């Protein structure tokens, strides 16, 4: 699926300097982001891949064909102002991603609408005090922390990137409150660039249920690395959108609707009658 993408001029160089320990950790992750796993360089017969994954994927596509999950109607790609200048659109994408962490799409969408009604730009957020910003974004999850992260990140964007957002995953994850999933989605949506797979709780859960990982993974970042080792690169952008909606409607965290799932007969985790 090709999401609307406010791509435009590239961000300027320069990032805040984190502590040495944090910088080392970020660097190791960034190397994995840019390594280009799953790009077909390794001979097909020598790379592990899960059995029946293509059939499972096609059935998920069929189940997602109506595009009526919350992510389809109120996801981050629906939260920015398409009439705004590209730089402003990219900033709005990043803020929507920051708000979306551990928050339902409906709540994120409503918060973004309230922000946009105030004129959502780097300058407008810098001029807003934390109390006012908090009232606008409430009740997104962990809103108090997000107020601080938004203010800090916005100041960095103004100082280091001329008000734009960084154009690499390595730089994005160094911003306060921006994790790997957000960074990859920002690359997908804001820059129309695929640097890796965006793995959230839905992608993580479903990948383990379908055994799309060689061995069980505990964290989304482990899942991302495991998926990128075998999943063809041309599917990296689509897989997040597919699995998030599938996880919202059918493959639920608790009491998954296996009886309604087209993959019931070929899913290792399915509850069969």
């Amino acid at each position: 699926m090709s999401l609307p993408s406010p791509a435009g001029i590239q961000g300027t160089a320069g990032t805040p300097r984190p502590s040495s320990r944090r910088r080392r950790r970020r660097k190791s992750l960034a190397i994995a982001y840019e390594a280009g796993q799953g790009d077909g360089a390794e001979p097909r017969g020598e790379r592990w891949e899960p059995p029946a994954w293509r059939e499972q994927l096609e059935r998920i596509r069929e189940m997602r064909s109506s595009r009526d999950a919350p992510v389809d109607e109120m996801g981050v790609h629906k939260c920015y102002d398409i009439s705004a200048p590209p730089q402003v659109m990219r900033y709005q994408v990043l803020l929507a991603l920051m708000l979306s962490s551990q928050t339902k799409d409906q709540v994120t969408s409503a918060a973004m609408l309230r922000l946009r009604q105030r004129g959502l730009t780097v300058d407008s957020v810098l001029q807003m005090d934390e109390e006012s910003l908090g009232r606008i974004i409430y009740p997104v999850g962990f809103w108090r922390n997000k107020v601080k992260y938004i203010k800090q990140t916005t100041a960095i964007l103004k100082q280091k990137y001329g008000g734009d957002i960084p154009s690499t995953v390595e730089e994005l994850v160094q911003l306060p409150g921006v994790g790997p999933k957000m960074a990859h989605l920002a690359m997908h949506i804001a820059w129309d660039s695929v640097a890796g797979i965006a793995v959230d709780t839905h992608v993580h859960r479903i990948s383990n249920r379908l055994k799309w990982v060689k061995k069980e993974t505990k964290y989304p970042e482990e899942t991302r690395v495991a998926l990128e080792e075998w999943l063809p690169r041309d599917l990296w952008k689509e897989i997040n959108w597919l699995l998030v909606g599938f996880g919202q409607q059918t493959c639920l965290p608790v009491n998954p609707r296996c009886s309604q799932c087209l993959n019931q007969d070929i899913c290792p985790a399915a509850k069969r009658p």
Side-chain angles (χ1 to χ4, degrees), residues 63-64 66-75 77 105-106 241-242 244-250:
M63 288 183 280
R64 292 281 289 114
S66 61
R67 301 188 179 189
D68 56 0
V71 69
D72 302 305
E73 300 172 351
M74 291 168 283
H77 65 290
D105 288 325
Q106 299 91 324
W241 167 77
L242 279 175
V244 169
F246 179 53
Q248 289 176 335
Q249 294 182 308
T250 306

Side-chain angles (χ1 to χ4, degrees), residues 84-134:
Q87 182 169 309
V88 174
M89 288 193 285
R90 289 192 288 268
Y91 175 65
Q92 292 182 0
V93 167
L94 184 61
L95 252 63
L97 288 166
M98 294 175 72
L99 293 176
S100 70
S101 176
Q102 301 187 61
T103 303
K104 291 183 180 297
D105 288 325
Q106 299 91 324
V107 177
T108 300
S109 177
M112 282 297 295
L113 180 59
R114 292 192 296 272
L115 283 169
R116 286 169 51 191
Q117 288 172 342
R118 300 286 190 99
L120 181 53
T121 66
V122 164
D123 289 335
S124 70
V125 170
L126 287 177
Q127 293 167 8
M128 196 181 302
D129 61 73
E130 291 191 4
E131 183 178 349
S132 298
L133 180 57

Side-chain angles (χ1 to χ4, degrees), residues 98-270:
M98 294 175 72
L99 293 176
S100 70
S101 176
Q102 301 187 61
T103 303
K104 291 183 180 297
D105 288 325
Q106 299 91 324
V107 177
T108 300
S109 177
M112 282 297 295
L113 180 59
R114 292 192 296 272
L115 283 169
R116 286 169 51 191
Q117 288 172 342
R118 300 286 190 99
L120 181 53
T121 66
V122 164
D123 289 335
S124 70
V125 170
L126 287 177
Q127 293 167 8
M128 196 181 302
D129 61 73
E130 291 191 4
E131 183 178 349
S132 298
L133 180 57
R135 284 198 301 267
I136 295 171
I137 70 171
Y138 179 86
V140 299
F142 301 96
W143 63 273
R144 290 185 178 86
N145 288 335
K146 289 177 182 178
V147 166
K148 296 176 183 177
Y149 292 147
I150 288 171
K151 294 287 285 185
Q152 292 169 1
T153 286
T154 303
I156 292 169
L157 298 180
K158 178 73 171 180
Q159 178 184 3
K160 299 290 186 179
Y161 297 95
D164 210 338
I165 72 171
S167 59
T168 68
V169 170
E170 184 175 11
E171 292 172 297
L172 284 163
V173 296
Q174 292 180 17
L175 296 171
V178 179
K181 179 207 73 172
M182 299 180 208
H184 284 296
L185 283 174
M187 293 298 295
H188 294 184
I189 302 170
W191 291 112
D192 195 23
S193 175
V194 180
I197 299 171
V199 176
D200 71 344
T201 182
H202 296 291
V203 179
H204 172 65
R205 176 180 73 255
I206 294 167
S207 295
N208 276 275
R209 284 179 176 174
L210 291 173
K211 303 297 184 186
W212 281 8
V213 290
K214 273 187 181 181
K215 59 181 180 179
E216 183 179 0
T217 54
K218 293 184 178 180
Y219 306 104
E221 265 300 275
E222 292 180 78
T223 302
R224 180 190 62 77
V225 173
L227 287 174
E228 289 178 6
E229 286 179 351
W230 66 268
L231 188 68
R233 196 179 184 101
D234 61 355
L235 299 176
W236 287 10
K237 188 173 183 177
E238 178 189 26
I239 206 69
N240 175 271
W241 167 77
L242 279 175
L243 296 189
V244 169
F246 179 53
Q248 289 176 335
Q249 294 182 308
T250 306
C251 199
L252 306 176
V254 180
N255 298 321
R257 297 167 179 164
C258 297
S259 62
Q260 302 174 21
C261 181
L262 299 181
N263 277 323
Q264 186 181 29
D265 61 327
I266 54 174
C267 174

